[in-house]
Amino acid sequence: MTLAIGVDVGGTKVAAGVVDEAGRIIAKLKRSTPAASPLRTEQAIADVVTELLAGRQVAAIGLGAAGFVDRERATMLFAPNLAWRDEPLKQRVEERLGRAVVVENDANASAWAEARFGAARGYRDVMLVAVGTGIGAAIITGGELYRGRWGIAGEPGHVRVVADGRLCGCGNRGCWEQYASGNALVAEAREFARRTPVGAMRLLQLGGGVPEGISGPEITRAATEGDPAALRCFQTVGGWLGQGLADLAAILDPACFVIGGGVSEAGDLLLDPARAAYERALTGRGHRPFTEIRVAQLGQDAGIVGAADLARQASQGPVSENIAAQTTAPSSPSSGPPGPLGSGSLIRSTSMANPATNAATAQNAARPDTDQSAAVATTR
Ligand SMILES: [Zn+2]
């Protein structure tokens, strides 16, 4: 059993784990991130890795970091919540550790983990949309991470959806993440409480009596209790989310959207309105399969698991046995929830019978020119 270490470097914490080939974390550590100092953050990374390495045979080390990682997976170009600017992160951490590391964007790492071991297992065309404070995302196409020319593809949170809309942290106005993120949910609830205090009674009660006291967990709690105001906030934000997913489907046509991030923990409170809006907004609806929209399964561990797995794959080169699992064609749309290989319904609409899809999937999986190192499904 080959072990790898994955490190998830966020704005507030460095979390690292030893991960086996099946994506299981067998040891884990957490430190707070000295975010203001690139050098101290790098030292914190080296420290947790050194601690996890003690007494273990580890084949590879991967870092998943919140920011723009260049295509060579070496330099952190820009990190909104950390002090890294054109930081040669790979080199700096390798100098400290005396061995090779792989650097990856954290959303890419999470998407990889979900496609290999989580909600999108068995799918080769996957988009992860992480709904947290903002919106993070990653694209897997044909079983490979899509990085773009400079490594920074997959930032749909900053696609403008409202002309002259809300001001975004990126400097533009009307970005999707200002309408479909955790921040948007909180903004909706506070605005509603200011406008209609009587209607927002429960939200205000949970928020300590003032609109500014209302945050994500309070809104989720109130919605779970059936509070109409909180449910309305989820309707609004989920609606924006679903519309955006339909726009993304217009470009990418993925088999599966995985919704991760903190807000996804609200589950169907968010996903029901998102699915409804998606189905209303999808171009050519009724004449194409509906993409699966699923909640992420690996939670906060996804970054660790994905970074470790990507590093292991990079160290091993092509893994030919992975591709074999791809020949598992999806079963009938009416067969209920997907099996352990994610081989359930690709299609939610019964108007699109699936033999063609099955054939295409099987054909795709069997294609001899497919990059075998990038297979995302595996039997365990
Ligand atoms: Zn923006």
Side-chain angles (χ1 to χ4, degrees), residues 157-159 168-173 175-178:
H158 299 287
V159 169
C168 180
C170 74
N172 290 336
R173 283 187 176 277
C175 292
W176 188 35
E177 76 171 29
Q178 295 307 314

Side-chain angles (χ1 to χ4, degrees), residues 144-331:
E144 280 188 78
L145 275 169
Y146 179 77
R147 296 190 168 84
R149 172 62 184 90
W150 310 110
I152 52 185
E155 293 289 343
H158 299 287
V159 169
R160 194 161 52 161
V161 296
V162 176
D164 297 322
R166 294 174 189 159
L167 185 64
C168 180
C170 74
N172 290 336
R173 283 187 176 277
C175 292
W176 188 35
E177 76 171 29
Q178 295 307 314
Y179 297 85
S181 64
N183 277 357
L185 185 72
V186 171
E188 285 290 333
R190 289 180 182 175
E191 206 179 300
F192 183 75
R194 271 181 222 113
R195 226 176 34 230
T196 323
V198 177
M201 205 154 46
R202 181 60 182 144
L203 282 170
L204 281 166
Q205 195 181 17
L206 290 169
V210 288
E212 290 68 34
I214 304 169
S215 61
E218 284 85 40
I219 305 167
T220 304
R221 182 172 162 193
T224 308
E225 293 168 0
D227 176 63
L231 286 169
R232 217 180 84 162
C233 297
F234 273 106
Q235 283 285 341
T236 304
V237 170
W240 279 110
L241 179 64
Q243 277 189 48
L245 295 180
D247 293 339
L248 291 170
I251 300 167
L252 290 166
D253 188 26
C256 183
F257 284 112
V258 177
I259 310 301
V263 185
S264 73
E265 287 165 20
D268 288 340
L269 288 173
L270 179 73
L271 290 207
D272 282 349
R275 288 190 183 106
Y278 174 83
E279 291 179 10
R280 276 196 306 274
L282 187 66
T283 311
R285 58 196 171 277
H287 304 282
R288 62 187 287 184
F290 280 117
T291 304
E292 285 280 323
I293 302 175
R294 297 183 173 179
V295 180
Q297 280 178 1
L298 302 176
Q300 296 192 346
D301 289 338
I304 293 175
V305 172
D309 198 65
L310 284 162
R312 175 177 23 239
Q313 299 229 350
S315 75
Q316 288 176 343
V319 184
S320 56
E321 58 269 27
N322 280 355
I323 205 75
Q326 301 291 339
T327 53
T328 309
S331 55

